[in-house]
Structures are given as C-alpha cells and as structure tokens.
Amino acid sequence: MRGVVFDGRRAEVADDLEIREPGPGEVLVAIAAAGLCHSDLSVIDGTIPFPAPVVLGHEGAGTVEAVGAGVTHVVPGDHVALSTLANCGACAACDQGRPTMCRSSIGRPDRPFSRGGRPLYQFAANSAFAERTVVRAVQAVRIPAGIPLTSAAVIGCGVLTGVGAVLNRAKVGIGDTVVVIGTGGIGLNVLQGARIAGALTVVAVDTNPAKEKTARLFGATHFLTSVDGVREILPDGARHVFECVGRTALVRQAIELLDRGGQAVLLGMPAPTAEATFLPASMFLDKAILGCRYGSSRPQHDIALYAALYEEGRLLLDELVTRTYPVEDFAAAVEDAEQGRVARGVLTF
C-alpha cells in the first residue's frame, strides 16, 4: 500500500508498505484524507525529534475496515476522524478527563508498519499518510457520514488544537478580548474558537497581508501585519493572547500584550532547546503563561461536538481546506505549506 515515509534524511511516497491486523482494542482504518500539518514538516526538518524510519501524518479521517476484540463503539463501515491521543483510559489523568496528560499517550511510538520486512514507526500514534493505519480504539471517533472526509480530516489536529485551546484551556468567555499571533491552520482555528466562545474583539496578527480575508472569515474583527498596532485597538492589552507560530521572540511579545489578569497561551512549536525571555516583573498583575497540548482536548467528546457545530454551520471545516492533493503529490503539498499558500493542504487516497 502507499504511504509517506521519512527515513531520517528525506520523505518519499512509498508503494510497498504493509500494515498488521488490528489487535485487541484496536481499529484498522482506511484513510480517505489527511491534512498536512506543520508538525509533520517539523519531523522532516528536525524540529521535532522522532525515530526513523517513520510513516508520517497525524490528521486524518476515513472508514473503519476492521476492529479488534473488545471494540464496540465503531464497526466496519463507520466514518471516523482520528485523534493522536492513544491514552490508556485508566490512569489518574484519564480518570480526571485529561487524556492529553496520560503518559501512555506521550511518546512510546509503536511499529505497526513494515517495508521489505523492516518495521517502521508510527508518528503520533496515528500515521495518517498511509492508505491504512491501525490505531487504538479510543483514537477513532465516529462522525456523521454526511461530513466530507476531506473536511473531517482536519478536525483531528488543527481544529482540536486551535478551538480546544480557546474553549478548554483558556476558557475564553463572552465579551473577552483576544489576540492571535499567526493565522496558519492553528491560528485560524483559534480565531473561530474565539468567535464561537463569544469574544468581542479578536485581533489577528500575521506578516502576510493576503491572509486578512480568511482571518476575518474565521472570526477576526481586526487584522494587523505586526503586533505594533495592537495597543491602538486594545490600549489596556488583551485578556487572551495566543502565540501560534513557535518563535521565541513572539512569546515575549505575546506576554507584553497582556492586560492585567491576562493569559498568554503558547501553541506554536519551537525547537526543543529554544529559550524565551521575558520580564518577570511584568507578570505580577495576575498574568499567566499557559502551555497547551493538543487543545487540552477530550477527543471522543470534542470531535463529536465539533462535528455537530459544523453541521449547524457554526464551525468552518470546508473553508480550512485550501487544496487537495493525491498522495503522490506530497512534495507539492509540502512546498505550498512551506510557502504559506494554503490554510490546510489535504492529501487524498
């Protein structure tokens, strides 16, 4: 079968992958579509260290082909969106409804794929850049059959991370003020999360002026190409500032834009050894810096919620997908993503 393999030096589309059958508590999914996220690119450029060879992809949707023993919530033929959280369901974090903190869902990559008899790692417990993948049952979330799978594919990372950061982690409320730095796939979902939450003023900041139209579509009330103009719109600062790029200089700027009692939420992915600096004295007025993994999501709950919001017309999915590519055009999809030409490119099988 086809899939995108990174061997530690370069990524290529292979056509000779094999996948094992699902074991107890697992689901075999035929992938129809998979979003290309910057986290996949970060594996290729080394920003995210990951063992190789590995089948890439972590944002996908498809159809259940088979289930292992004990799986009852999905059956063959169901449409599913996939999450990256292979959480155990039994630890203290899972019991508290915090699956993103489950230690079984962090690291510990499995190797369900093989190529020429050699095992390949699975990226983010998912590997959606393959015609078929095996995931834990908890990762497969049933969605209505009427949602296009090319649109459903982007729920599993971009939407969960961006909208979840707003609703679950920051808990943005009606009338709040929000600044979103970076309007890529994650930033756009932060914008629509803020809109859904009822934020009053939502300032999008991106150096690319061509992104203004899309940013406003998703929920921005203002658009700037630099943070320098934020204080003209919000003289006292913002209640919530989301850094969605992963540059350490922008982390400091996010903190400096906070109002009293405000919070900066860090969503961008810098290099593991990158260090950010800020003035500790600026934090004394009850300000906070929040990390956020995967939108602090509960995928079985949140994906179903976002699917329902999409059906009601309140959550935008189709508009996130700028372009689709057959998996064989992976290189073109990467180039478009790196050049900022797409909100989200989606690979199809």
Side-chain angles (χ1 to χ4, degrees), residues 25-62:
E26 294 181 333
V27 178
L28 175 67
V29 178
I31 299 295
L36 176 58
C37 174
H38 277 278
S39 293
D40 299 300
L41 303 181
S42 294
V43 174
I44 297 172
D45 68 21
T47 302
I48 297 178
F50 204 88
V54 57
V55 179
L56 295 176
H58 65 287
E59 185 183 75

Side-chain angles (χ1 to χ4, degrees), residues 15-314:
D15 61 4
D16 56 351
L17 295 180
E18 296 182 351
I19 184 80
R20 64 171 172 78
E21 292 297 314
E26 294 181 333
V27 178
L28 175 67
V29 178
I31 299 295
L36 176 58
C37 174
H38 277 278
S39 293
D40 299 300
L41 303 181
S42 294
V43 174
I44 297 172
D45 68 21
T47 302
I48 297 178
F50 204 88
V54 57
V55 179
L56 295 176
H58 65 287
E59 185 183 75
T63 304
V64 174
E65 278 203 353
V67 299
V71 178
T72 59
H73 76 290
V74 293
V75 298
D78 281 347
H79 285 191
V80 292
L82 302 183
S83 86
T84 67
L85 291 182
N87 57 296
C88 71
C91 68
C94 288
D95 190 52
Q96 294 166 355
R98 302 173 66 214
T100 57
M101 294 297 102
C102 173
R103 284 173 170 77
S104 293
S105 72
I106 302 175
R108 304 179 186 178
D110 195 6
R111 293 194 286 182
F113 299 94
S114 61
R115 185 184 187 193
R118 182 185 182 188
L120 284 77
Y121 286 101
Q122 184 174 37
F123 179 54
N126 190 307
S127 291
F129 292 169
E131 288 187 78
R132 292 173 181 81
T133 192
V134 169
V135 297
R136 291 190 186 180
V138 71
Q139 296 176 254
V141 184
R142 186 156 51 97
I143 58 174
I147 300 179
L149 290 173
T150 49
S151 297
V154 300
I155 298 177
C157 179
V159 176
L160 279 177
T161 299
V163 178
V166 173
L167 303 183
N168 300 328
R169 187 68 169 119
K171 300 186 186 303
V172 173
I174 294 174
D176 280 356
T177 54
V178 174
V179 174
V180 181
I181 302 175
T183 61
I186 300 300
L188 289 177
N189 280 295
V190 173
L191 289 172
Q192 71 170 333
R195 171 177 50 78
I196 291 168
L200 181 62
T201 304
V202 181
V203 183
V205 181
D206 198 291
T207 56
N208 185 353
K211 293 186 176 183
E212 179 173 1
K213 181 178 179 180
T214 303
R216 289 185 180 276
L217 172 66
F218 276 77
T221 59
H222 301 73
F223 183 91
L224 301 171
T225 56
S226 167
V227 297
D228 295 340
V230 171
R231 289 283 181 173
E232 295 180 15
I233 300 167
L234 300 170
D236 294 328
R239 178 73 180 88
H240 311 274
V241 180
F242 295 83
E243 199 285 324
C244 305
V245 180
R247 289 178 51 200
T248 56
L250 294 177
V251 171
R252 178 168 182 146
Q253 290 179 337
I255 294 167
E256 291 175 347
L257 290 174
L258 294 176
D259 192 0
R260 298 184 177 194
Q263 52 189 18
V265 184
L266 309 185
L267 297 178
M269 179 63 70
T273 57
E275 297 182 357
T277 62
F278 64 95
L279 301 176
S282 69
M283 304 299 294
F284 292 153
L285 293 172
D286 287 354
K287 299 178 184 181
I289 304 170
L290 303 181
C292 183
R293 180 173 188 248
Y294 204 45
S296 301
S297 297
R298 296 172 294 158
Q300 287 289 336
H301 171 275
D302 291 356
I303 290 177
L305 171 62
Y306 300 156
L309 290 173
Y310 168 80
E311 291 187 310
E312 291 183 0
R314 298 172 61 190

